[in-house]
Amino acid sequence: MQKFFAVLAVLLLAGCSTTENTHTDSQCIGQMTTEEAYGHLNPERFTIQVLALTEERQADVRNYINHIQGQQPIWVNWKKSSSGRWYAVIYGDFATKDEAKAVIDRLPEAVRQQGPFIRSFAEVQSDKQTDVFRLR
């Protein structure tokens, strides 16, 4: 039950809708499993993990997402680890590491300060997330 409320809080803080109505750019596309979110993506492509926060800092998710401009997809992953609950925000679908690196260099300073790093979709697909929310 606690997990449900925490995930709902992230959705609301990120400006997501939990209903099946028409979505604007600021609303969630929806909740899905890791396989549903990333299974169709080419494992040889890359994404950027822009943020990882503990549950206690979940309000910060919206602030960082609002700083990221453009049309690339953004996912929020709910992770449970031995050290507690985490939210990881990943951004974009890039053909090469160089393309992803160039995007990191153009991210706003507030986002770069969090130490974004490049991950392959193979790596992301191997994570056993229980909940993924695609925000755009």
Side-chain angles (χ1 to χ4, degrees), residues 9-128:
V10 166
L11 287 172
L12 295 174
L13 289 169
C16 298
S17 170
T18 57
T19 61
E20 295 283 336
N21 58 11
T22 305
H23 299 293
T24 66
D25 288 343
S26 67
Q27 292 177 311
C28 271
I29 291 174
Q31 177 182 355
M32 56 196 81
T33 66
T34 300
E35 178 61 29
E36 291 168 336
Y38 311 117
H40 67 285
L41 296 170
N42 183 338
E44 295 178 8
R45 292 179 65 92
F46 300 91
T47 190
I48 301 167
Q49 183 166 321
V50 293
L51 187 64
L53 298 171
T54 61
E55 182 176 14
E56 291 75 32
R57 292 188 56 209
Q58 65 189 11
D60 291 339
V61 170
R62 183 177 190 176
N63 292 331
Y64 288 99
I65 291 171
N66 287 336
H67 288 298
I68 301 172
Q69 303 298 313
Q71 298 303 311
Q72 287 282 347
I74 296 176
W75 296 271
V76 177
N77 299 319
W78 167 268
K79 295 182 180 187
K80 186 175 182 183
S81 70
S82 59
S83 62
R85 295 182 175 108
W86 288 85
Y87 298 100
V89 178
I90 64 172
Y91 167 66
D93 178 1
F94 308 102
T96 66
K97 283 186 176 182
D98 288 338
E99 184 182 346
K101 172 70 172 113
V103 170
I104 289 174
D105 292 342
R106 292 190 308 266
L107 288 171
E109 181 63 26
V111 177
R112 286 195 320 261
Q113 287 177 348
Q114 297 302 310
F117 59 94
I118 299 167
R119 297 181 71 190
S120 71
F121 275 110
E123 188 180 357
V124 172
Q125 290 164 344
S126 71
D127 286 346
K128 299 302 176 201

